[in-house]
Amino acid sequence: MSTIVDTNFNFPNQKSVYKGKVREVYNINDEQLVMVATDRLSAFDVVMPKGIPYKGQILNQIATKMMKETEDLVPNWLVASPDPNVAVGHLCEPFKVEMVIRGYMSGHAAREYKLGKRMLCGVAMPEGMKENDKFPNPIITPATKAEMGDHDEDISREDILKRGIVSEDDYIVLEDYTRKLFQRGTEIAADRGLILVDTKYEFGKTKDGKIVLIDEIHTPDSSRYFYADGYQERQNKGEAQKQLSKEFVRQWLIANDFQGLEGQTVPVMSDDYIETVSERYIELYENITGDTFIKADVSDIQSRIETNVLAYLKTINSVD
C-alpha cells in the first residue's frame, strides 16, 4: 500500500525546510509554515524503516480537530488544513522544551519508578504506587527537544530556568497552558470512554511575541490512552491496561530486543505487522475523535499534497 515517508517539495516563496522524526515543515516567506505529516513511525527516538499506511493523515486530522476543540482555552498556530496530511500555521519560534504531563504512572515514568527512582524531572512520585496507577495530581515532567537521531532528555523546571532555556515568565504560561489542555483533553477522552494517561505539548512564540500551541495535540504519537471500561478491575488484578497509543509498538520492539540502544538493530516489520499497526492507528482515530475514518486517496500522495498546498498558497497570495 502506498505511504509517504519523505517529501521534497519546492513551494512558491519557500525559504527552508525542516525535517523532524515524523513531520516535514516548509517555511513560506517567513510568514507561514506548511507542516506535512508523513507516514514515518518513530519509537525510542529512532525512525523505523517502513511507513505506516494512513498514519500521517490520522495524526494530522486528530491534531487539527483537537486544536479546534481547545482554541477557546489556549491559542494555537493553526490557520488551515488544505490536505488530509497537511496543516498550515503561523511561523513561530519553538521553545526548546516539550511539556510532558502525566496523570498516571505509565511508560517512561513507570520504567523509572521500577528502577527505584522517586523523583522525575524534580517532581516527587509517591511511594507504594503500581504501574498505571493514577497520580494524586497530574505531574509536569518536561523534556529537552532533541535533534534528529538524539534522545529527548528529562529536565526539571529548576534546570530549565537556571540554564535560561525558557524565561520564568514564559515558563509560568507554559505550565498554565499545559494543565488547561490536559484537563480539556481528559474531558474529551472521558466522553469517548477513554482515559488520557499522559501527553506532551509543544509551544512557540509568534512574531508578535504571543505564546501559542504548535505541532500536534492528543495524537497517538504524543499521548497515551487507556480504555476507561475495566480500568480499575485490571489495576486490582495487576493486569496490563488495554491501551491505545504507540506503546504497543514499543512493546513489540522490546520483545524483539530493540530499545534504541547502541549496537541494537531495528527488527524487520513484516507487511502483516505493518497492516496491524495501521489498523490500530485507525482504531485510535475513531475512538478519540468519535468520527469514522475516511481513507484519503493514496494512489499518488505526493501529487495530491502538492496540488492541494499550491491551491491554498494561491488563495493567500491573492489576498495579500
Side-chain angles (χ1 to χ4, degrees):
M1 192 177 287
S2 183
T3 57
I4 184 163
V5 291
D6 191 32
T7 70
N8 288 293
F9 298 121
N10 192 1
F11 297 121
N13 300 317
Q14 182 175 311
K15 296 279 188 185
S16 61
V17 58
Y18 166 78
K19 301 204 172 193
K21 290 179 194 125
V22 173
R23 289 170 174 74
E24 309 201 333
V25 185
Y26 292 82
N27 173 341
I28 308 298
N29 223 12
D30 290 331
E31 290 291 337
Q32 291 200 340
L33 298 177
V34 171
M35 189 159 77
V36 181
T38 71
D39 295 324
R40 292 197 295 265
L41 175 65
S42 148
F44 297 116
D45 294 315
V46 175
V47 175
M48 301 293 117
K50 292 180 181 174
I52 305 298
Y54 303 107
K55 178 176 173 284
Q57 178 189 349
I58 287 163
L59 292 191
N60 183 59
Q61 291 187 331
I62 292 175
T64 50
K65 184 182 173 82
M66 290 291 171
M67 288 214 171
K68 291 189 175 102
E69 292 189 358
T70 55
E71 64 189 1
D72 59 315
L73 284 181
V74 172
N76 63 57
W77 77 296
L78 186 67
V79 175
S81 179
D83 179 89
N85 285 63
V86 177
V88 179
H90 299 291
L91 175 77
C92 297
E93 180 64 39
F95 286 99
K96 290 187 168 58
V97 290
E98 292 181 343
M99 297 299 284
V100 181
I101 181 164
R102 304 174 184 278
Y104 294 73
M105 195 189 68
S106 302
H108 174 61
R111 289 190 280 271
E112 294 289 287
Y113 200 89
K114 276 181 189 157
L115 296 172
K117 297 180 186 174
R118 295 295 178 267
M119 295 288 283
L120 188 60
C121 303
V123 182
M125 297 187 285
E127 286 292 343
M129 291 187 75
K130 298 200 309 277
E131 184 171 359
N132 300 330
D133 275 354
K134 188 176 186 179
F135 285 119
N137 293 296
I139 63 171
I140 293 179
T141 59
T144 56
K145 278 285 289 164
E147 293 300 314
M148 185 91 156
D150 289 337
H151 290 272
D152 295 345
E153 285 180 15
D154 291 344
I155 188 168
S156 66
R157 179 189 208 270
E158 290 66 33
D159 278 350
I160 289 170
L161 300 182
K162 195 162 75 185
R163 285 161 55 179
I165 299 171
V166 181
S167 75
E168 185 159 16
D169 284 353
D170 285 350
Y171 195 77
I172 288 167
V173 176
L174 298 189
E175 282 190 325
D176 177 52
Y177 281 176
T178 297
R179 292 194 185 282
K180 282 179 174 160
L181 289 168
F182 189 67
Q183 179 59 36
R184 176 65 59 83
T186 298
E187 290 161 8
I188 292 168
D191 285 346
R192 309 258 185 263
L194 298 174
I195 293 169
L196 179 58
V197 178
D198 53 40
T199 191
K200 66 173 184 182
Y201 304 113
E202 295 186 41
F203 297 94
K205 257 190 188 177
T206 60
K207 282 184 168 180
D208 54 10
K210 186 164 139 187
I211 295 175
V212 297
L213 174 68
I214 61 170
D215 202 38
E216 63 184 332
I217 165 177
H218 301 158
T219 72
D221 273 21
S222 65
S223 317
R224 191 186 322 267
Y225 291 94
F226 292 157
Y227 287 94
D229 187 33
Y231 161 79
Q232 199 53 57
E233 205 178 315
R234 286 187 283 273
Q235 279 305 92
N236 296 344
K237 290 181 181 170
E239 293 174 0
Q241 285 300 331
K242 193 178 175 210
Q243 60 173 298
L244 279 169
S245 74
K246 210 168 57 173
E247 185 66 19
F248 72 93
V249 176
R250 292 191 198 99
Q251 293 302 333
W252 182 86
L253 290 167
I254 290 168
N256 285 275
D257 302 319
F258 183 81
Q259 280 183 273
L261 304 175
E262 214 169 311
Q264 293 184 335
T265 308
V266 179
V268 175
M269 290 185 178
S270 69
D271 290 347
D272 284 349
Y273 181 70
I274 283 173
E275 191 59 40
T276 66
V277 175
S278 181
E279 284 163 10
R280 289 287 288 272
Y281 269 94
I282 291 171
E283 182 190 357
L284 190 131
Y285 174 92
E286 295 188 338
N287 275 277
I288 191 54
T289 63
D291 300 332
T292 301
F293 181 67
I294 297 162
K295 294 177 176 180
D297 178 3
V298 293
S299 55
D300 188 347
I301 308 175
Q302 298 268 359
S303 297
R304 188 199 78 206
I305 290 173
E306 189 169 35
T307 302
N308 287 337
V309 172
L310 287 172
Y312 168 77
L313 292 175
K314 265 196 183 125
T315 67
I316 59 168
N317 286 337
S318 62
V319 172
D320 289 348

